[in-house]
């Protein structure tokens, strides 16, 4: 058998995606590899295909025990003999997998990193032929990555115990140079073939909103994505609780996930989502690594995340099946301040003082770029791709900025008014936060303004005509561009700096891009038009029943994109059924008759 037969027989795909074939070839030629591809690009296939062709077994190290079983189920459903060894198995299950492994019945074994050096595992590995060791989510080995796992350092120790060194393949979606170098160094990869594919995910639509009321904005997004699966990321547990309970009150089918819940509830909620029993998952960033649910159609960030790396990874969980999907951020200036606070107060105990300072500095730098992303008037996709070092045109036509009209507004005068207000307050030895400054500028009659006599300031009420929201936008822009400094120990206050002079005294002109009108994105994807939606829902229902019968998540039976391909192709026999994307011989044998029958019935009904 060759790689192409494995690809079509087991996975049901006609061709490799960008980068996959080169990685497969390198592994088969005996070379170590490091594959760097964005989430959803198809890294698993790069080691699963060669695993089927190499003699002996491939060990896959992966960080999340809770998800290994799902991966194994998916492989088995495609006819690939796989198993996993971790602490979630009962003794009996564990012994069963072990005996399969001893008998040489398994081609792929998933293991948690802490399991590798256990006696049982060492005994096994000394008696079977391990041809390849794969490290998935390999960035976990680096303390520069976002998810450092000290247990990943054990992998190298394990390799050293082996009599024959297997081929080592490592995969990650994190592209930074420090992380890449760490992976190669710590795993001691042997002149590896390193492949970085482009970071573009063409099927993802990007949008940033700066809504007055985030929850209302969220509801609108969810309505637009009716009946589809989505993840809503929030920055804190408290926000998760708030958003989830309001969604449930509003009648949506939402679940929640954060580190404050018991293991049991987390597992339960996660399964609800994976098995489509709940369509919306509200979660902190604790949710998602290794989640291979392919039919997530939208990801909303209720709060701006702290860097582009995390953002792209989390947003990238949408549209893994290659179908059109949407990624939104609901931005507010407060998000920047919360993140700054979190970074400054993160006491990572695994680092010494010196590295901690360095990490903090880097984090603040990354946060700045994340903020720029939310404020940019240019193409959002271009911004992300440039950040990762990819080249890109300045117009993608599939992000909110490309799709909306912008107008450039001269904000010089407004900026002068704001800065002189802070200046006049300073003369009275007073310093305030954003809210108070806006109240003064807009001539508020609130007691907190009148009582200390702030209505006698010459700048009181000089921005009466300017809506509060606009005032806030301009102040945020001034902060971001360094014309105002935020300081204060108890609460943040605004102060002037040397750069403020440019506007106050040196006639510096300032412009700002403001959205003329929010043309809401048109999410009716062209692909959908070609899909017969009625047949699609019939097949979805059949898939659900089939999955229920087998006790597996629906996407393990068929992905959405397979169902859509069936709707397009309307196969009439097994042979044609095999041409459907994602249908290999096992699935065709198992489900072919059932699905062909449904399609045929639909066709007859439609023609009659
Ligand atoms: P990641 O790179 O994030 O680990 P996965 O390996 O989970 O991505 O793959 C994402 C999705 O892409 C899966 O649903 C997988 O079946 C699909 N996929 C992978 N390779 C191909 C291919 N060559 N053709 C079509 N679909 C593919
Ligand atoms: Mg993966």
């Amino acid at each position: 058998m060759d790689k192409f037969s494995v690809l079509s027989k087991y996975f049901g795909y006609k061709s490799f995606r960008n980068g996959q074939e080169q990685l497969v070839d390198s592994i088969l030629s005996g070379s170590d590899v490091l594959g760097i591809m964005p989430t959803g690009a198809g890294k698993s296939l790069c080691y699963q295909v060669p695993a089927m062709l190499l003699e002996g077994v491939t060990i896959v190290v992966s960080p999340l025990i809770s998800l290994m079983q799902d991966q194994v189920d998916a492989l088995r459903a495609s006819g690939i003999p796989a198993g996993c060894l971790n602490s979630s198995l009962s003794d009996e299950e564990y012994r069963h997998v072990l005996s399969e492994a001893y008998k040489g019945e398994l081609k792929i074994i998933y293991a948690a990193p802490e399991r590798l050096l256990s006696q049982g595992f060492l005994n096994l590995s000394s008696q079977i032929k391990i041809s390849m060791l794969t490290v998935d989510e390999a960035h976990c080995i680096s303390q520069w990555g976002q998810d450092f796992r000290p247990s990943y350092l054990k992998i190298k120790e394990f390799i050293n115990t082996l009599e024959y060194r297997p081929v080592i393949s490592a995969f990650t979606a994190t592209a930074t140079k420090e992380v890449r170098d760490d992976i190669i160094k710590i795993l001691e990869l042997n002149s590896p073939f390193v492949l970085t594919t482009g970071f573009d995910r063409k099927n993802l639509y990007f949008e940033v909103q700066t809504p007055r009321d985030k929850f209302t904005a969220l509801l609108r997004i969810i309505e637009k994505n009716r009946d589809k699966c989505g993840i809503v990321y929030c920055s804190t547990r408290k926000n998760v609780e708030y958003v989830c309970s309001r969604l449930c009150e509003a009648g949506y089918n939402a679940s929640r996930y954060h580190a404050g819940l018991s293991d049991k509830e987390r597992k339960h909620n996660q399964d609800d989502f994976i098995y489509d029993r709940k369509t919306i998952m509200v979660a902190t960033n604790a949710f998602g690594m290794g989640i291979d649910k392919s039919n997530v159609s939208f990801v909303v960030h209720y709060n701006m995340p702290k860097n582009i790396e995390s953002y792209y990874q989390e947003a990238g969980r949408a549209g893994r099946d290659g179908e059109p999907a949407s990624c939104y951020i609901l931005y507010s200036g407060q998000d920047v301040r919360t993140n700054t606070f979190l970074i400054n107060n993160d006491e990572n105990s695994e680092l010494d003082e010196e590295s901690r300072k360095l990490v903090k500095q880097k984090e603040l730098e990354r946060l700045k770029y994340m903020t720029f992303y939310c404020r940019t008037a240019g193409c959002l996709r271009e911004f992300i791709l440039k950040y990762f070092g990819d080249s890109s045109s300045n117009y993608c036509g599939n992000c909110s900025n490309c799709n909306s009209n912008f107008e450039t507004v001269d904000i010089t005068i407004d900026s002068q008014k704001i800065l002189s207000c802070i200046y006049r307050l300073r003369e009275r030895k007073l310093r305030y936060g954003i809210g108070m400054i806006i109240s003064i500028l807009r001539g508020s009659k609130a007691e907190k303004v009148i009582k200390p006599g702030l209505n006698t300031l010459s700048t009181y009420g000089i921005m009466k005509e300017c809506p509060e929201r606009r005032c806030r936008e301009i102040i945020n822009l001034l902060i971001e561009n360094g014309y105002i400094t935020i300081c204060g120990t108890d609460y943040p206050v605004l102060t002037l700096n040397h750069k403020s002079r440019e506007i106050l005294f040196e006639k510096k002109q300032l412009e700002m891009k403001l959205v003329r009108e929010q043309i809401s994105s048109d999410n009716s994807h062209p692909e959908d038009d070609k899909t017969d939606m009625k047949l699609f829902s019939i097949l979805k229902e059949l898939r659900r029943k089939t999955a229920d019968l087998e006790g597996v998540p629906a996407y393990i039976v068929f992905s959405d994109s397979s169902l859509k391909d069936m709707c397009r192709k309307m196969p009439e026999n097994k042979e044609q059924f095999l041409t459907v994307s994602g249908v290999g011989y096992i699935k065709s044998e198992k489900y072919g008759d059932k699905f062909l029958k449904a399609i045929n019935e639909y066709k007859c009904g439609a023609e009659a």
Side-chain angles (χ1 to χ4, degrees), residues 87-116:
S87 54
S88 76
L89 303 183
S90 69
D91 284 353
E92 195 185 330
E93 287 166 331
Y94 194 90
R95 271 198 303 275
H96 178 71
V97 178
L98 216 52
S99 87
E100 280 185 317
Y102 273 109
K103 281 186 268 174
E105 288 169 359
L106 298 180
K107 289 302 287 179
I108 302 181
I109 301 176
Y110 282 81
E114 45 283 331
R115 175 68 40 181
L116 299 175

Side-chain angles (χ1 to χ4, degrees), residues 264-278:
K264 198 167 149 227
E265 179 174 355
R266 275 210 305 269
K267 171 83 179 114
H268 176 84
N269 294 355
Q270 177 177 306
D271 281 353
D272 273 353
F273 182 64
I274 288 179
Y275 286 75
D276 295 342
R277 291 188 289 259
K278 295 276 168 81

